[in-house]
């Protein structure tokens, strides 16, 4: 079994409140979940209205599938005009790794 994860650090555009932040982040998280069948959630910078951390995780029997899904998810987030992708941290593990 292969486990992969991505953690995005995002800078949001014209956002002036936490309520506006939620209205930008929620659709991105939902789209990641819907399009790629991953677990996705806002995971960081919860108290800041112009920054957001979003994390995703995927599990598969095939390493190539995990890498493809992570690559596609990163491209999707990077292409969103309402936010700037500052960084993406990635992890990939096999369940038998120590």
């Amino acid at each position: 079994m292969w486990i992969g994860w991505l953690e995005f650090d995002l800078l949001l555009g014209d956002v002036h409140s936490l309520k506006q932040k939620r209205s930008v982040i929620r659709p991105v998280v939902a789209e990641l979940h819907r399009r790629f069948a991953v677990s996705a959630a806002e995971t960081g910078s919860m108290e800041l209205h112009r920054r957001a951390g979003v994390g995703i995780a995927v599990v598969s029997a095939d390493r190539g599938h995990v890498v493809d899904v992570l690559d596609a998810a990163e491209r999707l987030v990077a292409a969103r005009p309402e936010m700037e992708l500052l960084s993406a941290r990635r992890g990939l593990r096999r369940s038998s790794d120590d």
Side-chain angles (χ1 to χ4, degrees):
M1 174 172 70
W2 287 91
I3 305 147
W5 58 268
L6 268 173
E7 185 175 24
F8 302 113
D9 183 15
L10 304 168
L11 178 63
L12 306 179
D14 190 30
V15 173
H16 302 288
S17 70
L18 292 176
K19 186 175 180 179
Q20 286 179 321
K21 174 185 178 177
R22 282 193 307 274
S23 71
V24 171
I25 294 299
R26 237 187 276 163
V28 173
V29 168
E31 185 174 5
L32 286 164
H33 178 70
R34 184 181 71 253
R35 286 187 63 184
F36 303 113
V38 297
S39 293
E42 183 178 359
T43 58
S45 301
M46 305 292 268
E47 69 288 346
L48 303 174
H49 67 272
R50 290 209 57 225
R51 293 290 291 272
V54 172
I56 69 165
V58 61
V59 175
S60 177
D62 180 42
R63 180 188 185 281
H65 177 71
V66 171
V67 171
D68 290 345
V69 169
L70 296 178
D71 289 345
E74 186 172 349
R75 283 192 303 273
L76 179 124
V77 171
R80 299 293 291 234
E82 68 274 18
M83 60 187 66
E84 179 182 347
L85 178 58
L86 299 176
S87 68
R89 292 180 0 150
R90 178 183 295 227
L92 184 65
R93 286 191 63 133
R94 191 174 195 159
S95 60
S96 58
D97 290 347
D98 288 335

